[in-house]
Amino acid sequence: MSAELSIIKSYGPWVFVALLIIGLAAYGIRSLISVGMNWLSKIIGRRLEETAEHYRHQLGKDLEAYKSDLSRALNRQNIKAEVRRAVAEKLLDRRLEALHEVHLEIYKHPSWVNAVVGQPYSAEVHSAFSKRMDEFSSAIDRKRSIFDVWQ
C-alpha cells in the first residue's frame, strides 16, 4: 500500500480520476472492438454464406451436367458394344454359312474331278470339266468377302 500512497502524495487525487478515465476508455475501446468484430464477422460470415450458396448452386448445376454427359457417354459406349456384338454374331453366322457352302463344294469336287482324270481327252469332257471348275470357282468367289484370308 505504501507505493499507492506515494503515488497519491506525488500526484494528488487526480490520479484516481485519470486511472478511472483510462480504465473506462480501455473498457469502452474493448467494447467497441468487440462490437466491431462481431459486426465484421457477421458481414464476412454473411458474404461467405452467400458465396458458398452460389458455389453450391453452381456446383449442383455443373454436377448435373457432368452426370448427364457421363450417362450419355456410357449409353453411347453400351450401344457401341451392343452393335459390335451384334455385328460380330452376324459376321460369325455369315462365315459359318459360307464355310458350310464351301465345304459342300469341296466335298463334291473330288467325285467329278476323279471321274474326268482317268478318261482320255475329249472336247466334251473338257467342256464339262471347265464348266464344273467355273461353278466351283464362282461358289468360292461368292463367299470370298466373308473370309479374312482373301481380303
Side-chain angles (χ1 to χ4, degrees), residues 121-135:
Y121 177 79
S122 74
E124 202 175 284
V125 171
H126 183 353
S127 168
F129 182 76
S130 292
K131 182 180 172 192
R132 287 271 178 119
M133 283 302 284
D134 288 341
E135 288 173 4

PDB file of all heavy atoms in Angstrom, residues 121-135:
ATOM      1  N   TYR A 121      -8.619 -87.545-123.359  1.00  0.00           N
ATOM      2  CA  TYR A 121      -9.056 -86.179-123.624  1.00  0.00           C
ATOM      3  C   TYR A 121     -10.114 -86.157-124.704  1.00  0.00           C
ATOM      4  O   TYR A 121      -9.990 -86.804-125.728  1.00  0.00           O
ATOM      5  CB  TYR A 121      -7.875 -85.307-124.064  1.00  0.00           C
ATOM      6  CG  TYR A 121      -8.300 -83.897-124.423  1.00  0.00           C
ATOM      7  CD1 TYR A 121      -8.531 -82.975-123.423  1.00  0.00           C
ATOM      8  CD2 TYR A 121      -8.511 -83.530-125.744  1.00  0.00           C
ATOM      9  CE1 TYR A 121      -8.944 -81.690-123.738  1.00  0.00           C
ATOM     10  CE2 TYR A 121      -8.921 -82.245-126.058  1.00  0.00           C
ATOM     11  CZ  TYR A 121      -9.136 -81.333-125.052  1.00  0.00           C
ATOM     12  OH  TYR A 121      -9.545 -80.067-125.353  1.00  0.00           O
ATOM     13  N   SER A 122     -11.166 -85.393-124.389  1.00  0.00           N
ATOM     14  CA  SER A 122     -12.179 -85.120-125.409  1.00  0.00           C
ATOM     15  C   SER A 122     -12.718 -83.724-125.125  1.00  0.00           C
ATOM     16  O   SER A 122     -12.726 -83.252-123.991  1.00  0.00           O
ATOM     17  CB  SER A 122     -13.298 -86.156-125.379  1.00  0.00           C
ATOM     18  OG  SER A 122     -14.140 -85.952-124.268  1.00  0.00           O
ATOM     19  N   ALA A 123     -13.174 -83.072-126.163  1.00  0.00           N
ATOM     20  CA  ALA A 123     -13.673 -81.708-126.038  1.00  0.00           C
ATOM     21  C   ALA A 123     -14.895 -81.672-125.130  1.00  0.00           C
ATOM     22  O   ALA A 123     -15.092 -80.735-124.355  1.00  0.00           O
ATOM     23  CB  ALA A 123     -14.009 -81.140-127.405  1.00  0.00           C
ATOM     24  N   GLU A 124     -15.703 -82.698-125.236  1.00  0.00           N
ATOM     25  CA  GLU A 124     -16.920 -82.772-124.430  1.00  0.00           C
ATOM     26  C   GLU A 124     -16.597 -82.871-122.933  1.00  0.00           C
ATOM     27  O   GLU A 124     -17.162 -82.152-122.105  1.00  0.00           O
ATOM     28  CB  GLU A 124     -17.705 -84.008-124.886  1.00  0.00           C
ATOM     29  CG  GLU A 124     -19.144 -83.986-124.567  1.00  0.00           C
ATOM     30  CD  GLU A 124     -19.806 -85.201-125.190  1.00  0.00           C
ATOM     31  OE1 GLU A 124     -20.015 -85.211-126.398  1.00  0.00           O
ATOM     32  OE2 GLU A 124     -20.093 -86.122-124.412  1.00  0.00           O
ATOM     33  N   VAL A 125     -15.666 -83.762-122.587  1.00  0.00           N
ATOM     34  CA  VAL A 125     -15.270 -83.945-121.198  1.00  0.00           C
ATOM     35  C   VAL A 125     -14.567 -82.684-120.688  1.00  0.00           C
ATOM     36  O   VAL A 125     -14.803 -82.236-119.562  1.00  0.00           O
ATOM     37  CB  VAL A 125     -14.363 -85.194-121.063  1.00  0.00           C
ATOM     38  CG1 VAL A 125     -13.769 -85.286-119.668  1.00  0.00           C
ATOM     39  CG2 VAL A 125     -15.115 -86.446-121.416  1.00  0.00           C
ATOM     40  N   HIS A 126     -13.715 -82.116-121.529  1.00  0.00           N
ATOM     41  CA  HIS A 126     -13.011 -80.908-121.155  1.00  0.00           C
ATOM     42  C   HIS A 126     -14.000 -79.760-120.904  1.00  0.00           C
ATOM     43  O   HIS A 126     -13.856 -78.981-119.941  1.00  0.00           O
ATOM     44  CB  HIS A 126     -12.025 -80.535-122.252  1.00  0.00           C
ATOM     45  CG  HIS A 126     -11.179 -79.329-121.935  1.00  0.00           C
ATOM     46  ND1 HIS A 126     -11.353 -78.520-120.847  1.00  0.00           N
ATOM     47  CD2 HIS A 126     -10.123 -78.782-122.586  1.00  0.00           C
ATOM     48  CE1 HIS A 126     -10.502 -77.555-120.823  1.00  0.00           C
ATOM     49  NE2 HIS A 126      -9.727 -77.678-121.883  1.00  0.00           N
ATOM     50  N   SER A 127     -15.012 -79.632-121.744  1.00  0.00           N
ATOM     51  CA  SER A 127     -16.031 -78.598-121.577  1.00  0.00           C
ATOM     52  C   SER A 127     -16.805 -78.805-120.275  1.00  0.00           C
ATOM     53  O   SER A 127     -17.040 -77.844-119.529  1.00  0.00           O
ATOM     54  CB  SER A 127     -16.975 -78.635-122.775  1.00  0.00           C
ATOM     55  OG  SER A 127     -18.102 -77.861-122.521  1.00  0.00           O
ATOM     56  N   ALA A 128     -17.173 -80.028-119.975  1.00  0.00           N
ATOM     57  CA  ALA A 128     -17.897 -80.319-118.728  1.00  0.00           C
ATOM     58  C   ALA A 128     -17.011 -80.019-117.519  1.00  0.00           C
ATOM     59  O   ALA A 128     -17.467 -79.456-116.516  1.00  0.00           O
ATOM     60  CB  ALA A 128     -18.358 -81.766-118.716  1.00  0.00           C
ATOM     61  N   PHE A 129     -15.731 -80.414-117.673  1.00  0.00           N
ATOM     62  CA  PHE A 129     -14.788 -80.165-116.578  1.00  0.00           C
ATOM     63  C   PHE A 129     -14.617 -78.649-116.342  1.00  0.00           C
ATOM     64  O   PHE A 129     -14.625 -78.180-115.210  1.00  0.00           O
ATOM     65  CB  PHE A 129     -13.442 -80.827-116.911  1.00  0.00           C
ATOM     66  CG  PHE A 129     -12.423 -80.672-115.822  1.00  0.00           C
ATOM     67  CD1 PHE A 129     -12.492 -81.433-114.669  1.00  0.00           C
ATOM     68  CD2 PHE A 129     -11.379 -79.757-115.952  1.00  0.00           C
ATOM     69  CE1 PHE A 129     -11.552 -81.302-113.664  1.00  0.00           C
ATOM     70  CE2 PHE A 129     -10.443 -79.618-114.958  1.00  0.00           C
ATOM     71  CZ  PHE A 129     -10.528 -80.389-113.812  1.00  0.00           C
ATOM     72  N   SER A 130     -14.479 -77.889-117.414  1.00  0.00           N
ATOM     73  CA  SER A 130     -14.333 -76.430-117.299  1.00  0.00           C
ATOM     74  C   SER A 130     -15.579 -75.805-116.689  1.00  0.00           C
ATOM     75  O   SER A 130     -15.487 -74.893-115.863  1.00  0.00           O
ATOM     76  CB  SER A 130     -14.103 -75.815-118.685  1.00  0.00           C
ATOM     77  OG  SER A 130     -12.860 -76.196-119.172  1.00  0.00           O
ATOM     78  N   LYS A 131     -16.729 -76.318-117.104  1.00  0.00           N
ATOM     79  CA  LYS A 131     -17.987 -75.804-116.572  1.00  0.00           C
ATOM     80  C   LYS A 131     -18.060 -76.048-115.061  1.00  0.00           C
ATOM     81  O   LYS A 131     -18.405 -75.162-114.273  1.00  0.00           O
ATOM     82  CB  LYS A 131     -19.157 -76.461-117.288  1.00  0.00           C
ATOM     83  CG  LYS A 131     -20.492 -75.958-116.835  1.00  0.00           C
ATOM     84  CD  LYS A 131     -21.601 -76.655-117.595  1.00  0.00           C
ATOM     85  CE  LYS A 131     -22.934 -76.274-116.988  1.00  0.00           C
ATOM     86  NZ  LYS A 131     -24.009 -77.086-117.469  1.00  0.00           N
ATOM     87  N   ARG A 132     -17.694 -77.282-114.651  1.00  0.00           N
ATOM     88  CA  ARG A 132     -17.709 -77.615-113.224  1.00  0.00           C
ATOM     89  C   ARG A 132     -16.696 -76.773-112.442  1.00  0.00           C
ATOM     90  O   ARG A 132     -16.969 -76.334-111.328  1.00  0.00           O
ATOM     91  CB  ARG A 132     -17.397 -79.097-113.012  1.00  0.00           C
ATOM     92  CG  ARG A 132     -18.488 -80.031-113.400  1.00  0.00           C
ATOM     93  CD  ARG A 132     -19.380 -80.224-112.188  1.00  0.00           C
ATOM     94  NE  ARG A 132     -20.484 -81.072-112.483  1.00  0.00           N
ATOM     95  CZ  ARG A 132     -20.712 -82.222-111.874  1.00  0.00           C
ATOM     96  NH1 ARG A 132     -19.907 -82.652-110.939  1.00  0.00           N
ATOM     97  NH2 ARG A 132     -21.768 -82.911-112.179  1.00  0.00           N
ATOM     98  N   MET A 133     -15.513 -76.537-113.023  1.00  0.00           N
ATOM     99  CA  MET A 133     -14.500 -75.722-112.352  1.00  0.00           C
ATOM    100  C   MET A 133     -14.975 -74.273-112.216  1.00  0.00           C
ATOM    101  O   MET A 133     -14.750 -73.639-111.184  1.00  0.00           O
ATOM    102  CB  MET A 133     -13.170 -75.758-113.119  1.00  0.00           C
ATOM    103  CG  MET A 133     -12.387 -77.042-112.910  1.00  0.00           C
ATOM    104  SD  MET A 133     -12.003 -77.349-111.190  1.00  0.00           S
ATOM    105  CE  MET A 133     -10.697 -76.205-110.914  1.00  0.00           C
ATOM    106  N   ASP A 134     -15.655 -73.768-113.250  1.00  0.00           N
ATOM    107  CA  ASP A 134     -16.207 -72.410-113.164  1.00  0.00           C
ATOM    108  C   ASP A 134     -17.263 -72.319-112.066  1.00  0.00           C
ATOM    109  O   ASP A 134     -17.316 -71.339-111.314  1.00  0.00           O
ATOM    110  CB  ASP A 134     -16.807 -71.982-114.501  1.00  0.00           C
ATOM    111  CG  ASP A 134     -15.738 -71.704-115.541  1.00  0.00           C
ATOM    112  OD1 ASP A 134     -14.569 -71.481-115.138  1.00  0.00           O
ATOM    113  OD2 ASP A 134     -16.073 -71.707-116.740  1.00  0.00           O
ATOM    114  N   GLU A 135     -18.109 -73.338-111.963  1.00  0.00           N
ATOM    115  CA  GLU A 135     -19.127 -73.354-110.902  1.00  0.00           C
ATOM    116  C   GLU A 135     -18.463 -73.383-109.521  1.00  0.00           C
ATOM    117  O   GLU A 135     -18.893 -72.682-108.605  1.00  0.00           O
ATOM    118  CB  GLU A 135     -20.047 -74.567-111.059  1.00  0.00           C
ATOM    119  CG  GLU A 135     -20.998 -74.484-112.226  1.00  0.00           C
ATOM    120  CD  GLU A 135     -21.754 -75.788-112.435  1.00  0.00           C
ATOM    121  OE1 GLU A 135     -21.595 -76.734-111.613  1.00  0.00           O
ATOM    122  OE2 GLU A 135     -22.488 -75.876-113.422  1.00  0.00           O
TER     123      GLU A 135
END
